[in-house]
Amino acid sequence: MRERTRSWLVILAFALVTALFALGLPRLGYDNSLASFVPPDLPAKRLYDEVRETFGSGELAIAVLEGEVWTPEGLGALRAASEAAAQVPGVLRVTSLASAKRMEEVEGELVIEELIPKAPSPEAIPEIRRYVEENPLYAGRLVSEDGRYAAVILEVEPGGDELALTQGLEAALKAHWPGPVYLAGAPALSGYILETLRRDLPVQMTLAALLIALVLFLNFRSARGVLLPLLTVSVALFWSLGLGGWLGVKLGSISSILPVVVLAVGSSFTLHILNRFYHELAAGKPRGEAIRLAARETGLGVVVSALAAGSGLAALATSSVPQIKSFGVLAAFGVLVAFLTANFLTPALLSLLKNPRRLPDPERPDATAQAMGRLAGTVARNRRAILIAALGFFLLMAALATRVPVETSLLAYFPKNSAPRVATELADRVFGGTDTLEILIEGDLKDPALLSALLAFEEKAGALPEVGSAISIADIVREIHRALTGEDGLPGTPEAVAQELLLYQLSGDPAELSSLITEDQSEALLVVQLRSLPSRKLEAVVQTLKQEAERTLAPHADAVRFTGSSVLAIEVMRLILHDQYVSLLLALVLVAFFNALLLRSLRVGLVSVLPLALTIAGQFGLMGLFRIPLDSATALIAAIAIGVGDYSVHVIVRYLEELRRGRRPEAALKTSLVVSGRAVFFTALAIGGGFSALLFSGFVPIRTFAVLMGFTVGATALFALTVLPAALLTFVRGARKEG
Amino acid sequence: MRKAWLLLGLLLFPAFALSGDEVMARVEARPTPKTFHGVLEMQLINKRGKVTTRELELWTKKEGEVEKMLIKFLAPPDVRGTAFLAIKKGEREEMKLYLPALKKVRRIAGGQKKGSFMGSDFTYDDIARLGSLKRENYKNKLLKEDARHYLVEATPKPGVESAYERLLIWVEKPHFDVVKIEFYQKGALYKVMTLAEIQTFAEKYRIPTKLTMENKKTGHKTVLLQKKIEVDRPIPDSVFSERFMRR
């Protein structure tokens, strides 16, 4: 009776804590903005924020409107669409032909006015078009040469709800523009990512649960065998996501795999416990005794693999990429909770439930078990060959791993022909791109020498095929000077520059200048528009531009500094690479440490990480072989491999147990493989099944991740059943005394 | 029971209280100088608190329906001598600009009522509003009255073109000085103007010597300090000329 009370108390406690965490769920938000990828204290990010504040600029999105622009109707619709876009919450500034200024001398009068009148007559249009085509500030930036596309450049507040923004912008633009509307740029891509995320997440969770349920059913052939692991893992999911809510974590494209990771990894723990429980029941043990054995004996293996999984994932918490960091924390927490539910909640539930009527032994000598027995014999005979082959595999894969490309472009998230990809390619082709390099120049911006250096740099930059446009205050000064004097060029003295700028301010909206120069004329921003490029190519282009700026601008300025979406993307790429090494090493060391500690032998600990080391080498080797890029999603596979792949511990635990009973290593191995081999096989199936739900993700990197996880799960199981036994027979032949 | 009715009556028709329109009429009834001469110190303060200062000398004159304004920049040094002349006759407005570096006077096209005044957060309209709030163009509603202030809500009447959809105007008793205006656009607070350090000139003109306009959207702010104010001193027409601009 006391047993029953205790069980009820355990269940009640879990229910209460689960409810507490569940209350945090509604606080869980979504965010895939730049801030979720870039650490806030990164110098380039701080400069980026400083630039936003100083120049009042936002993150850049571009809407491409397709249709005839140069008609009264087209221009009218463009104006209406631009005005509507400006009303969307989160939009800071809208630039389009509708906001363009005309600065010209007309009958002895300097005219600075809106380029496009409220209701342009058909006769006036050719004249307007001519002005635009001769003006470097507008031609090819706001309207395409053939007049078939107009650009609406949108600067949006960073850190807002990008999904609502994207939807708001689309609705506003489409309400006024009769033709197709394409949205590109980082905020728009993030908006699309969030939209996909919200659609994918429930589908993936359901699918993963169904696939795991199927494997569980194949293993246990009972409703209870399916429902208990799913229940315990759901509890873990509630805790993990709930904690995220309480901590204010926002899910992004990477962290969206969190539920699947917790489901897949967590369900394996209960699977092991249940396996032992049914095995003992089938062997005729009373229920209490079966529960005790399952929780205590098999529990050890579960503890070890949970700690390994937890530490592999927790190693990601050292990442400097915010989204990866929060994923690491929550996934590690979820896995540890899954261990708690497997070891405490499952026994409590089992003690309250009646024994099932049918008692098939999950460790019965069926076909799988027989195959494992034969495998043990083969391994024992060929252990040297297996170890040499493993070494060869490791070296080959490690060599291939050096060929892995790195990719952080947000665009790479989308399949070809998806709306965001089409929009970005169009913006690249027609308007010179959506990525930016921002160059912050400090110095006397009234100095004509500095201004002409800006123009010289822009010309050099513009000649690169990857560069769409480059503009700065120098272009505006040149335009004013032309309108004022009819001369091509810049004013000759600092006073003339200051006065011409003042003239522009007095005649128009001073905010137009403030996006390019500060009021005291001591800082200016030169914006280079770049076409979307693969990360490595982008790095090279930015490097070229930086060198050119050092050469051209630096001699005339006090300081020249670089930021912008391109620089941040490159920084994130470097961080991902760097973090990769750190977290990988840390994770392997942690796993070896825990295994050595719990199995009380350093040698056993080292042998235990062999399958993992081989699997990880294999992952990167495959990526190198097929040129699969290391991106924000695939960067996680090594850590997750450690999380899912620590089956070896179950083989080792049983092997050591048999050795202690005084059996010879070969016989001990045979028993170990026959008994835990089956569990390893089904665990691999369950985890692999869970992860395959990610094959249906709307994001390319997540799909790639799912494919790689398929390899990972299979490879770890294979290595745990071949290389590990061979290594055990070679290096761990004696039983250690308990103590 | 009768008391209750009386109370209700008082609430609905407060005795002796002014209506919004009457408050604004009293504001408009304050006299304005015929000529004005002074120095404006303009502090442009960006979101990060960085201050850029400009100094300009201002002359204005009103004769019937002709309004004349001349502005000369005194500082910073590189724009010193830049001059701006505006002559308004009814609806016609002529504007000229002199840039000393180019030694040229240029006529510039008008049509910038909503444009910024000398690159500040004030628009020409806002500056004009200091002289007259154009009561007839607005529906003025008294929202609140306490011991020191009236609070009037002004909304443009149908057909009146206005950059703002709603103004909240704080009028200080007893001089009917406007001390604060909130400008609303697209349903949100857009700009806030405060008029402080109001002094009496020539024993009748109430002139704020410190004006602040804060743009709530951009976080940018302008402070205008009016110094060396002279009112009603005759200003010869020769001041509002190209020749004077070049001087």
Side-chain angles (χ1 to χ4, degrees), chain A residues 50 53-54 87 105 107 109-110 446 484 496 499 503 505-507 510 519-520 523, chain B residues 44 48 50 54 78 82 97 99-102 106-109 112 116 118 186 220:
Chain A
E50 192 188 313
E53 190 135 291
T54 306
Q87 304 286 333
E105 170 127 27
E107 293 161 9
E109 193 172 58
L110 182 69
K446 296 179 295 267
L484 208 55
Q499 289 165 24
L503 158 82
Q505 282 191 322
L506 301 192
S507 328
E519 273 163 348
D520 62 358
E523 287 174 83
Chain B
L44 305 170
R48 309 180 76 203
K50 201 166 177 181
R54 287 175 186 165
D78 47 37
T82 303
L97 195 75
L99 302 183
L102 303 180
R106 304 304 309 242
R107 280 201 298 140
I108 58 178
Q112 50 200 349
S116 150
M118 301 294 124
K186 299 175 195 169
H220 197 277

mmCIF file of all heavy atoms in Angstrom, chain A residues 50 53-54 87 105 107 109-110 446 484 496 499 503 505-507 510 519-520 523, chain B residues 44 48 50 54 78 82 97 99-102 106-109 112 116 118 186 220:
data_model
loop_
_atom_site.group_PDB
_atom_site.id
_atom_site.type_symbol
_atom_site.label_atom_id
_atom_site.label_comp_id
_atom_site.label_asym_id
_atom_site.label_seq_id
_atom_site.Cartn_x
_atom_site.Cartn_y
_atom_site.Cartn_z
ATOM 1 N N GLU A 50 24.917 50.830 -33.776
ATOM 2 C CA GLU A 50 25.279 52.247 -33.694
ATOM 3 C C GLU A 50 24.852 52.959 -34.978
ATOM 4 O O GLU A 50 24.306 54.059 -34.945
ATOM 5 C CB GLU A 50 26.796 52.342 -33.499
ATOM 6 C CG GLU A 50 27.299 53.705 -33.123
ATOM 7 C CD GLU A 50 28.828 53.744 -33.135
ATOM 8 O OE1 GLU A 50 29.449 52.828 -32.576
ATOM 9 O OE2 GLU A 50 29.377 54.693 -33.733
ATOM 10 N N GLU A 53 21.167 53.583 -35.101
ATOM 11 C CA GLU A 53 20.785 54.685 -34.229
ATOM 12 C C GLU A 53 21.208 56.029 -34.819
ATOM 13 O O GLU A 53 20.423 56.965 -34.855
ATOM 14 C CB GLU A 53 21.435 54.476 -32.863
ATOM 15 C CG GLU A 53 20.914 55.424 -31.831
ATOM 16 C CD GLU A 53 20.620 54.717 -30.525
ATOM 17 O OE1 GLU A 53 19.670 53.916 -30.477
ATOM 18 O OE2 GLU A 53 21.332 54.975 -29.572
ATOM 19 N N THR A 54 22.441 56.107 -35.299
ATOM 20 C CA THR A 54 22.951 57.385 -35.799
ATOM 21 C C THR A 54 22.223 57.813 -37.065
ATOM 22 O O THR A 54 21.886 58.986 -37.228
ATOM 23 C CB THR A 54 24.452 57.266 -36.109
ATOM 24 O OG1 THR A 54 25.114 56.772 -34.953
ATOM 25 C CG2 THR A 54 25.034 58.616 -36.483
ATOM 26 N N GLN A 87 2.586 52.909 -44.006
ATOM 27 C CA GLN A 87 1.646 52.841 -42.875
ATOM 28 C C GLN A 87 1.776 51.557 -42.085
ATOM 29 O O GLN A 87 1.247 51.442 -40.985
ATOM 30 C CB GLN A 87 0.196 52.934 -43.379
ATOM 31 C CG GLN A 87 -0.124 54.161 -44.211
ATOM 32 C CD GLN A 87 -0.219 55.412 -43.370
ATOM 33 O OE1 GLN A 87 -0.534 55.338 -42.204
ATOM 34 N NE2 GLN A 87 0.083 56.552 -43.963
ATOM 35 N N GLU A 105 17.228 73.015 -62.734
ATOM 36 C CA GLU A 105 17.062 74.435 -63.006
ATOM 37 C C GLU A 105 15.988 74.589 -64.069
ATOM 38 O O GLU A 105 16.095 74.031 -65.151
ATOM 39 C CB GLU A 105 18.396 74.990 -63.515
ATOM 40 C CG GLU A 105 18.301 76.387 -64.053
ATOM 41 C CD GLU A 105 19.315 77.298 -63.387
ATOM 42 O OE1 GLU A 105 20.348 76.786 -62.939
ATOM 43 O OE2 GLU A 105 19.060 78.505 -63.338
ATOM 44 N N GLU A 107 13.844 77.562 -65.921
ATOM 45 C CA GLU A 107 13.639 79.000 -66.163
ATOM 46 C C GLU A 107 14.247 79.853 -65.055
ATOM 47 O O GLU A 107 13.571 80.660 -64.421
ATOM 48 C CB GLU A 107 12.143 79.300 -66.312
ATOM 49 C CG GLU A 107 11.564 78.665 -67.571
ATOM 50 C CD GLU A 107 10.047 78.561 -67.485
ATOM 51 O OE1 GLU A 107 9.486 79.136 -66.534
ATOM 52 O OE2 GLU A 107 9.460 77.917 -68.358
ATOM 53 N N GLU A 109 15.070 79.148 -62.169
ATOM 54 C CA GLU A 109 14.661 78.863 -60.801
ATOM 55 C C GLU A 109 15.121 77.465 -60.428
ATOM 56 O O GLU A 109 14.966 76.525 -61.207
ATOM 57 C CB GLU A 109 13.132 78.939 -60.713
ATOM 58 C CG GLU A 109 12.623 78.982 -59.300
ATOM 59 C CD GLU A 109 11.117 79.257 -59.268
ATOM 60 O OE1 GLU A 109 10.372 78.474 -59.871
ATOM 61 O OE2 GLU A 109 10.714 80.260 -58.653
ATOM 62 N N LEU A 110 15.750 77.335 -59.269
ATOM 63 C CA LEU A 110 16.170 76.016 -58.817
ATOM 64 C C LEU A 110 14.959 75.288 -58.255
ATOM 65 O O LEU A 110 14.320 75.758 -57.319
ATOM 66 C CB LEU A 110 17.247 76.130 -57.737
ATOM 67 C CG LEU A 110 17.766 74.793 -57.242
ATOM 68 C CD1 LEU A 110 18.574 74.093 -58.314
ATOM 69 C CD2 LEU A 110 18.586 74.977 -55.988
ATOM 70 N N LYS A 446 32.908 67.655 -45.284
ATOM 71 C CA LYS A 446 32.797 68.821 -46.149
ATOM 72 C C LYS A 446 34.035 68.941 -47.029
ATOM 73 O O LYS A 446 34.060 69.716 -47.970
ATOM 74 C CB LYS A 446 32.628 70.089 -45.303
ATOM 75 C CG LYS A 446 31.342 70.089 -44.508
ATOM 76 C CD LYS A 446 31.198 71.330 -43.660
ATOM 77 C CE LYS A 446 32.217 71.468 -42.562
ATOM 78 N NZ LYS A 446 31.821 70.930 -41.261
ATOM 79 N N LEU A 484 22.726 73.271 -59.371
ATOM 80 C CA LEU A 484 22.973 74.658 -58.972
ATOM 81 C C LEU A 484 23.872 75.400 -59.957
ATOM 82 O O LEU A 484 23.689 76.587 -60.204
ATOM 83 C CB LEU A 484 23.641 74.628 -57.584
ATOM 84 C CG LEU A 484 23.435 75.804 -56.658
ATOM 85 C CD1 LEU A 484 21.963 76.062 -56.451
ATOM 86 C CD2 LEU A 484 24.105 75.513 -55.326
ATOM 87 N N ALA A 496 31.612 75.622 -49.657
ATOM 88 C CA ALA A 496 30.631 75.404 -50.725
ATOM 89 C C ALA A 496 29.875 74.106 -50.485
ATOM 90 O O ALA A 496 28.652 74.037 -50.675
ATOM 91 C CB ALA A 496 31.337 75.373 -52.078
ATOM 92 N N GLN A 499 27.384 74.708 -47.680
ATOM 93 C CA GLN A 499 26.253 75.558 -48.093
ATOM 94 C C GLN A 499 25.310 74.823 -49.041
ATOM 95 O O GLN A 499 24.099 74.982 -48.974
ATOM 96 C CB GLN A 499 26.784 76.847 -48.707
ATOM 97 C CG GLN A 499 27.396 77.748 -47.634
ATOM 98 C CD GLN A 499 28.244 78.867 -48.202
ATOM 99 O OE1 GLN A 499 28.054 79.273 -49.350
ATOM 100 N NE2 GLN A 499 29.178 79.374 -47.403
ATOM 101 N N LEU A 503 21.466 74.050 -48.419
ATOM 102 C CA LEU A 503 20.439 74.359 -49.413
ATOM 103 C C LEU A 503 19.485 73.187 -49.577
ATOM 104 O O LEU A 503 18.264 73.350 -49.598
ATOM 105 C CB LEU A 503 21.100 74.686 -50.759
ATOM 106 C CG LEU A 503 20.207 74.525 -51.978
ATOM 107 C CD1 LEU A 503 19.350 75.762 -52.137
ATOM 108 C CD2 LEU A 503 20.999 74.285 -53.240
ATOM 109 N N GLN A 505 18.878 70.831 -47.457
ATOM 110 C CA GLN A 505 18.083 70.675 -46.233
ATOM 111 C C GLN A 505 16.955 71.687 -46.156
ATOM 112 O O GLN A 505 15.867 71.384 -45.719
ATOM 113 C CB GLN A 505 18.975 70.873 -45.014
ATOM 114 C CG GLN A 505 19.827 69.687 -44.692
ATOM 115 C CD GLN A 505 20.462 69.862 -43.338
ATOM 116 O OE1 GLN A 505 20.857 70.946 -42.964
ATOM 117 N NE2 GLN A 505 20.539 68.774 -42.605
ATOM 118 N N LEU A 506 17.279 72.927 -46.590
ATOM 119 C CA LEU A 506 16.274 73.987 -46.498
ATOM 120 C C LEU A 506 15.138 73.740 -47.468
ATOM 121 O O LEU A 506 14.038 74.220 -47.287
ATOM 122 C CB LEU A 506 16.893 75.352 -46.806
ATOM 123 C CG LEU A 506 18.045 75.795 -45.909
ATOM 124 C CD1 LEU A 506 18.356 77.256 -46.147
ATOM 125 C CD2 LEU A 506 17.706 75.567 -44.456
ATOM 126 N N SER A 507 15.421 72.988 -48.528
ATOM 127 C CA SER A 507 14.413 72.850 -49.571
ATOM 128 C C SER A 507 13.654 71.541 -49.489
ATOM 129 O O SER A 507 12.717 71.331 -50.231
ATOM 130 C CB SER A 507 15.064 72.935 -50.945
ATOM 131 O OG SER A 507 16.151 73.783 -50.906
ATOM 132 N N PRO A 510 14.896 67.099 -44.290
ATOM 133 C CA PRO A 510 16.255 66.857 -43.801
ATOM 134 C C PRO A 510 16.505 65.386 -43.470
ATOM 135 O O PRO A 510 17.636 64.934 -43.458
ATOM 136 C CB PRO A 510 16.370 67.727 -42.548
ATOM 137 C CG PRO A 510 15.011 68.211 -42.243
ATOM 138 C CD PRO A 510 14.138 68.002 -43.429
ATOM 139 N N GLU A 519 24.293 65.370 -38.782
ATOM 140 C CA GLU A 519 24.045 66.806 -38.889
ATOM 141 C C GLU A 519 25.318 67.638 -38.774
ATOM 142 O O GLU A 519 25.453 68.669 -39.417
ATOM 143 C CB GLU A 519 23.062 67.234 -37.800
ATOM 144 C CG GLU A 519 21.639 67.067 -38.242
ATOM 145 C CD GLU A 519 20.679 67.073 -37.088
ATOM 146 O OE1 GLU A 519 21.110 66.972 -35.928
ATOM 147 O OE2 GLU A 519 19.475 67.161 -37.356
ATOM 148 N N ASP A 520 26.254 67.138 -37.949
ATOM 149 C CA ASP A 520 27.480 67.913 -37.798
ATOM 150 C C ASP A 520 28.492 67.586 -38.900
ATOM 151 O O ASP A 520 29.617 68.072 -38.887
ATOM 152 C CB ASP A 520 28.099 67.686 -36.408
ATOM 153 C CG ASP A 520 28.483 66.231 -36.197
ATOM 154 O OD1 ASP A 520 28.241 65.417 -37.108
ATOM 155 O OD2 ASP A 520 29.017 65.912 -35.123
ATOM 156 N N GLU A 523 30.274 62.339 -39.707
ATOM 157 C CA GLU A 523 30.176 60.908 -39.998
ATOM 158 C C GLU A 523 29.271 60.706 -41.206
ATOM 159 O O GLU A 523 28.254 61.382 -41.333
ATOM 160 C CB GLU A 523 29.555 60.148 -38.822
ATOM 161 C CG GLU A 523 30.445 59.986 -37.617
ATOM 162 C CD GLU A 523 29.680 59.346 -36.466
ATOM 163 O OE1 GLU A 523 29.570 58.118 -36.453
ATOM 164 O OE2 GLU A 523 29.173 60.089 -35.616
ATOM 165 N N LEU B 44 20.131 71.273 -32.801
ATOM 166 C CA LEU B 44 19.604 70.033 -33.367
ATOM 167 C C LEU B 44 20.168 68.892 -32.525
ATOM 168 O O LEU B 44 21.383 68.752 -32.404
ATOM 169 C CB LEU B 44 20.045 69.883 -34.819
ATOM 170 C CG LEU B 44 19.696 71.077 -35.721
ATOM 171 C CD1 LEU B 44 20.381 70.951 -37.078
ATOM 172 C CD2 LEU B 44 18.187 71.173 -35.895
ATOM 173 N N ARG B 48 20.892 60.112 -30.188
ATOM 174 C CA ARG B 48 21.953 59.729 -29.272
ATOM 175 C C ARG B 48 22.413 60.902 -28.412
ATOM 176 O O ARG B 48 23.396 60.801 -27.699
ATOM 177 C CB ARG B 48 23.133 59.156 -30.052
ATOM 178 C CG ARG B 48 22.701 58.081 -31.019
ATOM 179 C CD ARG B 48 23.868 57.514 -31.774
ATOM 180 N NE ARG B 48 24.625 56.608 -30.934
ATOM 181 C CZ ARG B 48 25.896 56.301 -31.144
ATOM 182 N NH1 ARG B 48 26.548 56.873 -32.128
ATOM 183 N NH2 ARG B 48 26.505 55.451 -30.377
ATOM 184 N N LYS B 50 23.501 63.858 -29.395
ATOM 185 C CA LYS B 50 24.542 64.704 -29.972
ATOM 186 C C LYS B 50 23.927 66.038 -30.432
ATOM 187 O O LYS B 50 22.900 66.045 -31.115
ATOM 188 C CB LYS B 50 25.150 63.972 -31.164
ATOM 189 C CG LYS B 50 26.516 64.465 -31.535
ATOM 190 C CD LYS B 50 27.159 63.462 -32.471
ATOM 191 C CE LYS B 50 28.510 63.932 -32.930
ATOM 192 N NZ LYS B 50 29.114 62.976 -33.855
ATOM 193 N N ARG B 54 23.243 75.750 -34.740
ATOM 194 C CA ARG B 54 23.280 76.746 -35.812
ATOM 195 C C ARG B 54 22.766 78.060 -35.228
ATOM 196 O O ARG B 54 21.935 78.052 -34.318
ATOM 197 C CB ARG B 54 22.354 76.338 -36.968
ATOM 198 C CG ARG B 54 22.888 75.207 -37.789
ATOM 199 C CD ARG B 54 21.878 74.790 -38.825
ATOM 200 N NE ARG B 54 22.363 73.601 -39.526
ATOM 201 C CZ ARG B 54 21.607 72.845 -40.273
ATOM 202 N NH1 ARG B 54 20.322 73.140 -40.432
ATOM 203 N NH2 ARG B 54 22.107 71.794 -40.878
ATOM 204 N N ASP B 78 31.210 77.670 -41.602
ATOM 205 C CA ASP B 78 31.222 77.350 -43.039
ATOM 206 C C ASP B 78 29.942 77.718 -43.768
ATOM 207 O O ASP B 78 29.910 77.724 -44.989
ATOM 208 C CB ASP B 78 31.628 75.880 -43.283
ATOM 209 C CG ASP B 78 30.890 74.937 -42.374
ATOM 210 O OD1 ASP B 78 29.704 75.213 -42.115
ATOM 211 O OD2 ASP B 78 31.493 73.946 -41.917
ATOM 212 N N THR B 82 25.113 82.605 -45.509
ATOM 213 C CA THR B 82 24.060 82.013 -46.329
ATOM 214 C C THR B 82 22.744 82.715 -45.961
ATOM 215 O O THR B 82 22.431 82.873 -44.779
ATOM 216 C CB THR B 82 23.943 80.500 -46.062
ATOM 217 O OG1 THR B 82 25.201 79.897 -46.310
ATOM 218 C CG2 THR B 82 22.884 79.871 -46.948
ATOM 219 N N LEU B 97 17.691 82.248 -52.421
ATOM 220 C CA LEU B 97 18.732 81.764 -51.545
ATOM 221 C C LEU B 97 20.068 82.302 -52.020
ATOM 222 O O LEU B 97 20.350 82.318 -53.222
ATOM 223 C CB LEU B 97 18.732 80.235 -51.587
ATOM 224 C CG LEU B 97 19.498 79.566 -50.476
ATOM 225 C CD1 LEU B 97 18.721 79.647 -49.166
ATOM 226 C CD2 LEU B 97 19.744 78.116 -50.825
ATOM 227 N N LEU B 99 24.123 81.725 -51.624
ATOM 228 C CA LEU B 99 25.212 80.913 -51.094
ATOM 229 C C LEU B 99 26.511 81.674 -51.308
ATOM 230 O O LEU B 99 26.956 81.824 -52.436
ATOM 231 C CB LEU B 99 25.288 79.569 -51.809
ATOM 232 C CG LEU B 99 24.043 78.684 -51.776
ATOM 233 C CD1 LEU B 99 24.320 77.358 -52.471
ATOM 234 C CD2 LEU B 99 23.576 78.443 -50.355
ATOM 235 N N PRO B 100 27.132 82.170 -50.231
ATOM 236 C CA PRO B 100 28.333 82.995 -50.390
ATOM 237 C C PRO B 100 29.477 82.258 -51.090
ATOM 238 O O PRO B 100 30.253 82.885 -51.817
ATOM 239 C CB PRO B 100 28.728 83.358 -48.950
ATOM 240 C CG PRO B 100 27.874 82.564 -48.054
ATOM 241 C CD PRO B 100 26.715 82.073 -48.830
ATOM 242 N N ALA B 101 29.575 80.954 -50.893
ATOM 243 C CA ALA B 101 30.679 80.229 -51.518
ATOM 244 C C ALA B 101 30.583 80.274 -53.024
ATOM 245 O O ALA B 101 31.586 80.258 -53.732
ATOM 246 C CB ALA B 101 30.705 78.786 -51.038
ATOM 247 N N LEU B 102 29.334 80.337 -53.535
ATOM 248 C CA LEU B 102 29.146 80.404 -54.987
ATOM 249 C C LEU B 102 28.892 81.830 -55.445
ATOM 250 O O LEU B 102 28.771 82.105 -56.638
ATOM 251 C CB LEU B 102 27.982 79.512 -55.414
ATOM 252 C CG LEU B 102 28.072 78.040 -55.032
ATOM 253 C CD1 LEU B 102 26.845 77.295 -55.538
ATOM 254 C CD2 LEU B 102 29.328 77.407 -55.609
ATOM 255 N N ARG B 106 19.998 82.423 -55.870
ATOM 256 C CA ARG B 106 19.180 81.534 -56.698
ATOM 257 C C ARG B 106 17.742 81.658 -56.251
ATOM 258 O O ARG B 106 17.453 81.675 -55.054
ATOM 259 C CB ARG B 106 19.608 80.066 -56.539
ATOM 260 C CG ARG B 106 21.053 79.805 -56.832
ATOM 261 C CD ARG B 106 21.414 80.284 -58.215
ATOM 262 N NE ARG B 106 20.518 79.786 -59.200
ATOM 263 C CZ ARG B 106 20.885 79.003 -60.196
ATOM 264 N NH1 ARG B 106 22.146 78.649 -60.329
ATOM 265 N NH2 ARG B 106 20.010 78.585 -61.065
ATOM 266 N N ARG B 107 16.862 81.712 -57.219
ATOM 267 C CA ARG B 107 15.451 81.601 -56.862
ATOM 268 C C ARG B 107 15.181 80.124 -56.633
ATOM 269 O O ARG B 107 15.677 79.271 -57.384
ATOM 270 C CB ARG B 107 14.577 82.120 -57.996
ATOM 271 C CG ARG B 107 14.493 83.656 -58.008
ATOM 272 C CD ARG B 107 13.280 84.113 -58.754
ATOM 273 N NE ARG B 107 13.305 83.707 -60.157
ATOM 274 C CZ ARG B 107 12.230 83.274 -60.810
ATOM 275 N NH1 ARG B 107 11.062 83.180 -60.188
ATOM 276 N NH2 ARG B 107 12.310 82.937 -62.080
ATOM 277 N N ILE B 108 14.464 79.804 -55.607
ATOM 278 C CA ILE B 108 14.096 78.394 -55.441
ATOM 279 C C ILE B 108 12.583 78.267 -55.413
ATOM 280 O O ILE B 108 11.870 79.164 -54.964
ATOM 281 C CB ILE B 108 14.729 77.731 -54.200
ATOM 282 C CG1 ILE B 108 14.355 78.463 -52.913
ATOM 283 C CG2 ILE B 108 16.248 77.688 -54.318
ATOM 284 C CD1 ILE B 108 14.930 77.785 -51.678
ATOM 285 N N ALA B 109 12.125 77.124 -55.940
ATOM 286 C CA ALA B 109 10.683 76.936 -56.072
ATOM 287 C C ALA B 109 10.064 76.669 -54.715
ATOM 288 O O ALA B 109 10.681 76.065 -53.840
ATOM 289 C CB ALA B 109 10.408 75.775 -57.013
ATOM 290 N N GLN B 112 6.593 74.161 -50.161
ATOM 291 C CA GLN B 112 7.201 73.313 -49.143
ATOM 292 C C GLN B 112 6.652 73.629 -47.762
ATOM 293 O O GLN B 112 7.379 73.653 -46.793
ATOM 294 C CB GLN B 112 8.696 73.504 -49.165
ATOM 295 C CG GLN B 112 9.065 74.961 -49.117
ATOM 296 C CD GLN B 112 10.466 75.173 -49.620
ATOM 297 O OE1 GLN B 112 11.202 74.250 -49.799
ATOM 298 N NE2 GLN B 112 10.822 76.408 -49.849
ATOM 299 N N SER B 116 10.765 71.203 -43.824
ATOM 300 C CA SER B 116 11.429 71.561 -42.583
ATOM 301 C C SER B 116 11.862 73.017 -42.597
ATOM 302 O O SER B 116 12.295 73.559 -43.610
ATOM 303 C CB SER B 116 12.633 70.650 -42.419
ATOM 304 O OG SER B 116 13.640 71.302 -41.707
ATOM 305 N N MET B 118 14.508 75.455 -41.926
ATOM 306 C CA MET B 118 15.957 75.556 -41.765
ATOM 307 C C MET B 118 16.593 74.244 -41.279
ATOM 308 O O MET B 118 17.509 74.245 -40.472
ATOM 309 C CB MET B 118 16.324 76.684 -40.783
ATOM 310 C CG MET B 118 15.826 78.056 -41.194
ATOM 311 S SD MET B 118 16.613 78.660 -42.699
ATOM 312 C CE MET B 118 15.175 78.967 -43.732
ATOM 313 N N LYS B 186 -1.519 59.672 -38.272
ATOM 314 C CA LYS B 186 -1.756 58.222 -38.382
ATOM 315 C C LYS B 186 -2.111 57.616 -37.032
ATOM 316 O O LYS B 186 -1.616 56.549 -36.654
ATOM 317 C CB LYS B 186 -0.514 57.519 -38.911
ATOM 318 C CG LYS B 186 -0.062 57.946 -40.289
ATOM 319 C CD LYS B 186 1.242 57.250 -40.625
ATOM 320 C CE LYS B 186 1.919 57.894 -41.817
ATOM 321 N NZ LYS B 186 3.289 57.404 -41.982
ATOM 322 N N HIS B 220 14.388 62.585 -32.700
ATOM 323 C CA HIS B 220 15.170 63.796 -32.952
ATOM 324 C C HIS B 220 14.465 64.993 -32.323
ATOM 325 O O HIS B 220 13.245 65.014 -32.174
ATOM 326 C CB HIS B 220 15.322 63.999 -34.460
ATOM 327 C CG HIS B 220 16.418 64.953 -34.818
ATOM 328 N ND1 HIS B 220 16.236 66.298 -34.804
ATOM 329 C CD2 HIS B 220 17.690 64.734 -35.190
ATOM 330 C CE1 HIS B 220 17.371 66.897 -35.156
ATOM 331 N NE2 HIS B 220 18.268 65.952 -35.404
#
